[in-house]
Amino acid sequence: MATPAEVDLSSKLNEEQDESLREYMLSLGIDPDYVPPADDPRRVVISEFAIIFRDHDPIVVSFDNEEDILAAKRIPMVIKEGCHYKMRVTFRVQHNIVLGLKISSSISRLGKKIKDEEMLGTYPPSNEFTAVDLPKNGWHEAPSGKVYRGDYKSKMRFTDDDGEEHLVFDWLMKISKKWGDE
């Protein structure tokens, strides 16, 4: 079966004569004033990945260019053992609605791998960036003790329900007795 052609929903909204369909499209968050960038074909733009802490300044990685993505793989994010943290992803959707945006992550150390997948949701195109914290409720707790200290290799993958891969990046995390800036 052939995939139907994609429809520009912002244009469709402005052309729509059926008021109930127009109201429905507005309820989905379609912005009638949205204008997609002509020079950037990406559907999802991830601008920043951060680890935020309950009692410490955040660690922020910007994704302004390819070098930033590669630096995340080389420079470890140092986290104090036993601290409470969340991950924050800042992104925007361009051109058309993205259904079922999700983050898949894996963290490995000494041959053990932990995988996790978190559904972010469905997002319409927007000129504004959105920040989402994970977990949405509560905090993760970093492991503590000598056995857990050390370097962890991590991979994050941003995909959607259509199987489109929007960003994949590797990053290093280090569990330490002290914060990286102490």
Side-chain angles (χ1 to χ4, degrees):
M1 178 153 81
T3 304
E6 211 169 86
V7 176
D8 177 5
L9 294 178
S10 294
S11 299
K12 179 86 171 141
L13 175 63
N14 290 327
E15 297 166 1
E16 187 54 55
Q17 299 299 316
D18 181 349
E19 192 56 35
S20 63
L21 183 56
R22 184 174 164 67
E23 286 177 22
Y24 173 69
M25 290 172 76
L26 286 170
S27 76
L28 294 175
I30 307 296
D31 180 359
D33 299 324
Y34 172 74
V35 178
D39 61 342
D40 188 354
R42 296 177 293 174
R43 290 282 293 277
V44 178
V45 176
I46 291 103
S47 66
E48 198 173 87
F49 170 72
I51 301 177
I52 56 174
F53 303 95
R54 188 183 282 173
D55 57 358
H56 193 267
D57 292 336
I59 300 171
V60 180
V61 177
S62 295
F63 294 128
D64 295 327
N65 54 48
E66 193 67 32
E67 286 179 19
D68 292 341
I69 295 170
L70 295 173
K73 186 176 182 176
R74 292 189 315 267
I75 304 166
M77 297 182 202
V78 179
I79 298 174
K80 183 179 178 183
E81 63 182 353
C83 74
H84 291 88
Y85 69 95
K86 292 183 180 204
M87 295 181 194
R88 176 174 290 158
V89 179
T90 305
F91 66 94
R92 80 167 178 224
V93 172
Q94 304 182 138
H95 302 289
N96 213 336
I97 197 164
V98 171
L99 304 172
L101 182 63
K102 62 185 160 233
I103 299 176
S104 303
S105 64
S106 64
I107 297 176
S108 61
R109 180 167 187 246
L110 301 174
K112 279 192 160 187
K113 186 180 268 193
I114 299 171
K115 292 183 178 186
D116 189 28
E117 187 170 278
E118 187 80 34
M119 179 61 73
L120 298 180
T122 296
Y123 293 88
S126 174
N127 293 317
E128 304 300 318
F129 282 88
T130 300
V132 176
D133 291 349
L134 303 168
K136 293 175 183 172
N137 300 310
W139 295 82
H140 290 299
E141 184 175 347
S144 59
K146 189 174 185 175
V147 169
Y148 297 104
R149 286 183 217 134
D151 295 334
Y152 292 77
K153 291 181 181 179
S154 305
K155 181 182 282 275
M156 259 207 191
R157 185 180 313 271
F158 295 83
T159 58
D160 63 30
D161 282 350
D162 293 330
E164 186 75 26
E165 203 168 73
H166 300 289
L167 176 68
V168 176
F169 72 96
D170 295 308
W171 60 287
L172 290 176
M173 178 172 62
K174 181 175 185 171
I175 305 292
S176 178
K177 204 170 190 173
K178 296 181 179 183
W179 291 107
D181 56 6
E182 290 182 342

